[in-house]
């Protein structure tokens, strides 16, 4: 299956470079390019790509606003968005993820990680640059739990609570399986169940929820 991608960046050279990297892949096709946020939203609605690769800083609408319009809560037919930026700022990361982004990368992440992020977003997974994930989890661990204790849609099982803690500490599915002495498929099933029960869209949102509700501390 060919993954259809829309690339949105206000810098011509960056936009062209990203498009060339993606078009060089045998199973990825860049179907459109946009130089500002309004054009990105219009093209996304018209072309219905599988993934939108969106710069965080653009004229008109920024990347977070574009993400909210294309993939935010309440959007009836959301489109997967991967946000990419030069600026390694925590508020950008959290803003993009809360808006519904399925990936967050720095522009110097390299072609391999870029391609992986696009493929992950296309199948409903999330890929956040590893250095960003580690720092974001450390930031969450240092802050106080939210005063608003959000309850899960359905009560978590004891095993799901264990998996929740490990996800919040940045463990991969393979690491979770090893630590809990369960199969990799079982670990993936528990993570999928957590996504459904707490209404999260990716692993980082699971971590955010765990810290916000005081389930994970230092």
């Amino acid at each position: 299956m060919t993954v259809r991608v829309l690339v949105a960046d206000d810098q011509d050279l960056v936009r062209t470079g990203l498009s060339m990297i993606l078009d060089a892949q045998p199973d990825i096709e860049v179907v459109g390019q946009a130089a500002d946020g309004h054009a990105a939203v219009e093209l996304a609605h018209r072309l219905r790509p599988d993934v939108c690769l969106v710069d965080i800083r653009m004229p008109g609408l920024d990347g977070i606003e574009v993400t909210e319009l294309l993939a935010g809560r309440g959007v009836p037919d959301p489109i997967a968005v991967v946000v990419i930026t030069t600026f390694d700022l925590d508020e950008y990361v959290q803003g993009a993820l809360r808006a519904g982004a399925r990936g967050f990368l720095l522009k110097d992440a390299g072609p391999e990680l870029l391609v992986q992020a696009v493929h992950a977003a296309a199948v409903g997974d999330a890929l956040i640059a590893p250095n960003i994930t580690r720092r974001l989890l450390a930031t969450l661990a240092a802050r106080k739990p939210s005063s608003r204790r959000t309850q899960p849609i359905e009560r978590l099982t004891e095993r799901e609570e264990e998996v929740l803690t490990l996800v919040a500490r940045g463990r991969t599915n393979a690491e979770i399986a090893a630590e809990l002495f369960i199969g990799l498929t079982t670990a993936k099933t528990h993570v999928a169940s957590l996504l459904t029960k707490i209404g999260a869209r990716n692993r980082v949102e699971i971590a955010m929820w765990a810290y916000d509700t005081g389930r994970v501390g230092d």
Side-chain angles (χ1 to χ4, degrees), residues 138-201:
T139 300
L140 291 172
R143 77 186 189 190
K144 294 180 180 179
S146 171
S147 59
R148 181 175 58 85
R149 293 297 181 100
T150 305
Q151 294 302 313
I153 296 170
E154 182 183 338
R155 184 181 179 87
L156 303 185
T157 66
E158 184 177 342
R159 178 64 86 190
E160 286 168 349
E161 291 279 4
E162 293 175 332
V163 173
L164 174 72
T165 298
L166 294 176
V167 170
R169 289 176 176 156
R171 303 293 197 276
T172 65
N173 286 338
E175 290 169 339
I176 290 171
E179 289 193 41
L180 297 181
F181 302 102
I182 58 178
L184 180 57
T185 300
T186 302
K188 290 180 179 178
T189 299
H190 286 312
V191 172
S193 180
L194 285 172
L195 290 169
T196 300
K197 286 187 175 183
I198 67 178
R201 291 165 291 186

Side-chain angles (χ1 to χ4, degrees), residues 71-146:
R73 295 189 187 279
V75 175
D77 192 10
I79 299 173
V81 175
V82 173
V83 172
I84 186 166
T85 181
T86 307
F87 305 96
D88 185 9
L89 300 176
D90 288 340
E91 57 265 34
Y92 283 169
V93 180
Q94 295 191 42
L97 295 175
R98 291 190 187 281
R102 284 195 191 161
F104 192 100
L105 297 175
L106 299 179
K107 289 181 182 177
D108 62 1
E112 184 177 353
L113 203 58
L114 173 64
V115 171
Q116 287 177 14
V118 167
H119 281 304
V123 298
D125 292 334
L127 190 152
I128 317 298
N131 58 322
I132 292 174
T133 300
R134 287 191 295 270
R135 197 184 67 251
L136 180 58
L137 293 180
T139 300
L140 291 172
R143 77 186 189 190
K144 294 180 180 179
S146 171

Side-chain angles (χ1 to χ4, degrees), residues 136-137 140 143 164 167-170 198 200 202-213 216:
L136 180 58
L137 293 180
L140 291 172
R143 77 186 189 190
L164 174 72
V167 170
R169 289 176 176 156
I198 67 178
N202 53 56
R203 298 172 76 90
V204 176
E205 281 199 359
I206 291 177
M208 288 179 175
W209 186 86
Y211 285 106
D212 279 345
T213 56
V216 181

Side-chain angles (χ1 to χ4, degrees), residues 1-143:
M1 183 189 95
T2 299
V3 179
R4 301 170 67 253
V5 180
L6 170 68
V7 177
D9 194 296
D10 63 329
Q11 297 182 46
D12 293 343
L13 189 61
V14 173
R15 191 172 64 251
T16 300
L18 293 171
S19 297
M20 289 177 64
I21 291 170
L22 295 174
D23 263 334
Q25 304 302 311
D27 53 357
I28 295 178
E29 177 189 4
V30 175
V31 296
Q33 297 184 33
D36 63 71
H38 289 293
V41 172
E42 189 276 327
L43 274 176
H45 285 152
R46 178 155 55 88
L47 299 175
R48 300 299 304 179
D50 300 303
V51 178
C52 292
L53 185 65
V54 178
D55 183 26
I56 200 83
R57 280 190 169 182
M58 292 186 294
L61 298 171
D62 65 26
I64 293 176
E65 292 171 315
V66 170
T67 302
E68 189 72 49
L69 290 170
L70 297 180
R73 295 189 187 279
V75 175
D77 192 10
I79 299 173
V81 175
V82 173
V83 172
I84 186 166
T85 181
T86 307
F87 305 96
D88 185 9
L89 300 176
D90 288 340
E91 57 265 34
Y92 283 169
V93 180
Q94 295 191 42
L97 295 175
R98 291 190 187 281
R102 284 195 191 161
F104 192 100
L105 297 175
L106 299 179
K107 289 181 182 177
D108 62 1
E112 184 177 353
L113 203 58
L114 173 64
V115 171
Q116 287 177 14
V118 167
H119 281 304
V123 298
D125 292 334
L127 190 152
I128 317 298
N131 58 322
I132 292 174
T133 300
R134 287 191 295 270
R135 197 184 67 251
L136 180 58
L137 293 180
T139 300
L140 291 172
R143 77 186 189 190

